[in-house]
C-alpha cells in the first residue's frame, strides 16, 4: 500500500508550475513528492491500481500507459461519448485495456473503494470534479488533485507522469504530437484573425469561450492562431466561476463577446455550426455575418493526446494549402 503525507507548502500556487521532466528525474525512483491541493503528496511506490474520478483525465492516463483500472464516466451514448460514457477519442483504448466504468455523474465512494486503488486522480474543476469528497477519498488512498483549466494537455500529461512514473511514455506521446503539429502548421493557411474559440449550446443559447489559458486556446496559438480579445464584463463572470479556461457568454453578451473575425467551434460537427449561423442574436457578429464559422468535431471537447491528434487532422482538412 502506498503511504502518503501532506506537508505545508508556503508557496502553494507556485508549486503547481509545470516543467518538462528529464530522464534524470524519471530515474529518481520512489518515494516521490508531488505538489497537491493541500500541500504535498508523498508516494512511496509506483502505483499499480489507479482510479480516475475524472473522465477528462482518464484519456491522459491512458496516453502515458499508466495502470488506470477504473474511471468515472459521462452520459453514455452522447455524441462525444461511447456506450460506456467514455470519450470517443480514447474509448476503444480503454476497452482494450480493460478499464472499468465505475459510475456516471456523481462519484460513488463504494465503487471506488471496491477497486482497491493505490492512487486516486481527481480534477480540480469541471463537471467531473470529485473535489467535494476529496477528504473521504484521501482517507481511502493517496489522492492527487489535478487542475486542467490552466494547462495544456501536455502539461497535464507531465503532472500525471510524475505521479505514476511514466515520464518516458508521456514524453514519447508529446514528441510524436509535436512532430505532427510541425508538419500540419507548415501547411495551414489561416482564416481571418483573430478567432473566437468556443463551445455553443443552442438550447440554452450559451457560449463558453476558450481563453488563452485553456488547453484549446494553447493548441490554437501554437499553430499560429490569435485568440480574440475578451470583453471585461465576461472576464469578471469567468472569475466568479473560478475557472481560467472558459468565459461564459449569454444574452446580450453574445453579441459583444464574439468579436473574432472567425469562429472555431469545439465539441460539435456541422449541425452545431448550422445552429450557430442560424442564431438571431449572433447575426451581426463579424464571423457569422461573413460565414467564417468552422466546426472542429465532436471529439474536441476535452483535449488529450488522442483528441489533440484528431484536431490536427481536422484543421489540416479545413485550412491546408491546396
Amino acid at each position: 500500500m502506498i503511504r502518503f503525507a501532506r506537508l505545508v507548502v508556503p508557496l502553494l500556487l507556485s508549486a503547481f508550475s509545470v516543467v518538462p521532466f528529464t530522464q534524470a528525474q524519471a530515474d529518481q525512483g520512489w518515494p516521490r513528492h508531488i505538489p497537491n491541493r493541500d500541500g504535498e503528496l508523498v508516494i512511496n511506490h509506483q502505483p499499480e491500481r489507479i482510479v480516475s474520478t475524472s473522465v477528462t483525465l482518464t484519456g491522459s492516463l491512458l496516453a502515458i500507459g499508466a495502470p488506470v483500472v477504473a474511471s468515472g464516466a459521462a452520459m453514455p451514448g452522447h455524441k462525444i461519448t461511447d456506450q460506456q460514457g467514455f470519450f470517443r477519442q480514447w474509448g476503444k483504448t480503454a476497452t482494450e485495456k480493460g478499464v472499468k466504468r465505475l459510475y456516471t455523474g456523481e462519484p460513488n465512494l463504494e465503487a471506488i473503494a471496491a477497486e482497491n486503488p493505490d492512487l486516486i486522480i481527481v480534477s480540480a474543476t469541471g463537471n467531473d470534479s470529485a473535489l467535494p469528497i476529496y477528504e473521504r477519498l484521501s482517507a481511502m488512498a493517496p489522492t492527487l488533485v489535478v487542475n486542467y483549466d490552466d494547462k495544456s494537455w501536455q502539461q497535464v500529461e507531465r503532472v500525471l507522469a510524475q505521479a505514476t512514473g511514466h515520464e518516458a511514455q508521456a514524453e514519447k506521446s508529446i514528441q510524436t504530437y509535436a512532430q505532427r503539429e510541425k508538419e500540419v502548421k507548415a501547411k495551414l493557411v489561416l482564416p481571418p484573425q483573430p478567432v473566437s474559440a468556443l463551445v455553443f449550446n443552442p438550447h440554452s443559447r450559451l457560449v463558453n469561450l476558450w481563453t488563452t489559458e485553456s488547453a484549446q486556446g494553447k493548441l490554437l496559438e501554437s499553430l499560429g492562431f490569435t485568440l480574440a480579445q475578451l470583453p471585461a464584463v465576461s472576464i469578471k463572470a469567468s472569475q466568479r466561476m473560478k475557472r481560467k479556461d472558459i468565459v461564459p457568454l449569454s444574452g446580450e453578451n453574445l453579441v459583444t463577446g464574439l468579436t473574432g473575425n472567425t469562429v472555431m467551434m469545439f465539441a460539435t460537427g456541422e449541425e452545431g455550426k448550422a445552429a450557430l449561423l442560424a442564431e438571431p442574436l449572433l447575426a451581426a457578429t463579424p464571423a457569422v455575418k461573413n460565414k467564417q464559422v468552422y466546426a472542429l468535431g465532436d471529439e474536441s471537447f476535452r483535449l488529450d493526446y488522442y483528441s489533440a491528434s484528431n484536431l490536427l487532422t481536422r484543421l489540416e482538412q479545413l485550412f491546408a494549402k491546396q
Side-chain angles (χ1 to χ4, degrees):
M1 179 64 69
I2 298 174
R3 298 180 180 177
F4 66 105
R6 292 180 225 146
L7 305 176
V8 176
V9 176
L11 299 178
L12 181 57
L13 292 178
S14 64
F16 278 91
S17 60
V18 181
V19 295
F21 297 113
T22 65
Q23 188 59 47
Q25 288 173 301
D27 293 339
Q28 284 179 351
W30 309 86
R32 294 190 175 187
H33 299 253
I34 313 297
N36 202 25
R37 176 175 180 258
D38 54 358
E40 194 172 72
L41 184 66
V42 179
I43 305 179
N44 286 338
H45 305 284
Q46 186 169 20
E48 297 179 353
R49 295 188 59 81
I50 300 172
V51 167
S52 172
T53 64
S54 167
V55 68
T56 298
L57 295 174
T58 301
S60 292
L61 287 165
L62 289 169
I64 66 174
V68 52
V69 297
S71 172
M75 188 66 67
H78 191 264
K79 64 180 182 177
I80 65 173
T81 56
D82 62 15
Q83 293 305 308
Q84 288 201 88
F86 293 154
F87 289 154
R88 291 187 183 276
Q89 64 262 27
W90 49 261
K92 182 179 179 181
T93 301
T95 299
E96 292 172 350
K97 297 292 185 181
V99 179
K100 181 179 180 180
R101 180 184 68 140
L102 289 181
Y103 52 78
T104 298
E106 291 293 321
N108 185 315
L109 284 166
E110 291 184 1
I112 294 170
E115 295 305 312
N116 191 29
D118 53 17
L119 179 65
I120 300 172
I121 303 296
V122 173
S123 63
T125 58
N127 291 332
D128 60 350
S129 176
L131 203 56
I133 60 169
Y134 167 76
E135 295 297 337
R136 299 174 71 181
L137 292 172
S138 294
M140 185 185 303
T143 301
L144 178 65
V145 177
V146 178
N147 190 355
Y148 60 73
D149 75 359
D150 61 352
K151 297 178 181 65
S152 66
W153 66 264
Q154 294 97 324
Q155 289 172 314
V156 169
E157 273 202 10
R158 285 170 172 146
V159 170
L160 294 172
Q162 187 184 30
T164 61
H166 285 253
E167 288 92 342
Q169 295 93 324
E171 292 306 315
K172 181 179 179 180
S173 69
I174 290 168
Q175 295 309 315
T176 298
Y177 172 86
Q179 180 59 39
R180 171 77 173 132
E181 180 186 72
K182 181 180 179 181
E183 294 169 357
V184 170
K185 184 176 181 178
K187 301 177 183 179
L188 298 183
V189 177
L190 300 184
Q193 302 294 300
V195 302
S196 293
L198 56 84
V199 176
F200 176 55
N201 185 331
H203 302 294
S204 61
R205 292 181 170 179
L206 174 68
V207 162
N208 282 328
L209 284 174
W210 296 116
T211 71
T212 56
E213 294 196 60
S214 68
Q216 292 76 4
K218 291 178 189 295
L219 184 147
L220 289 176
E221 288 188 328
S222 70
L223 288 166
F225 291 83
T226 300
L227 294 189
Q229 197 73 24
L230 301 176
V233 63
S234 299
I235 293 175
K236 289 181 180 179
S238 178
Q239 290 171 341
R240 288 195 295 271
M241 292 175 61
K242 297 182 179 180
R243 292 284 295 268
K244 296 181 180 179
D245 56 343
I246 61 171
V247 171
L249 300 176
S250 60
E252 62 182 20
N253 287 334
L254 284 174
V255 181
T256 59
L258 264 63
T259 60
N261 291 318
T262 297
V263 163
M264 310 292 286
M265 299 186 68
F266 286 73
T268 192
E270 292 302 310
E271 76 287 349
K273 171 182 171 179
L276 188 140
L277 287 170
E279 174 53 57
L281 287 173
L282 300 176
T285 59
V288 172
K289 188 162 55 176
N290 296 314
K291 302 294 189 292
Q292 291 291 328
V293 178
Y294 299 92
L296 301 182
D298 295 331
E299 296 178 358
S300 57
F301 177 57
R302 293 295 186 204
L303 291 190
D304 48 44
Y305 168 76
Y306 304 100
S307 54
S309 299
N310 292 345
L311 189 53
L312 283 182
T313 299
R314 177 60 175 160
L315 291 169
E316 184 177 25
Q317 292 169 347
L318 289 171
F319 305 118
K321 301 171 186 175
Q322 299 299 318

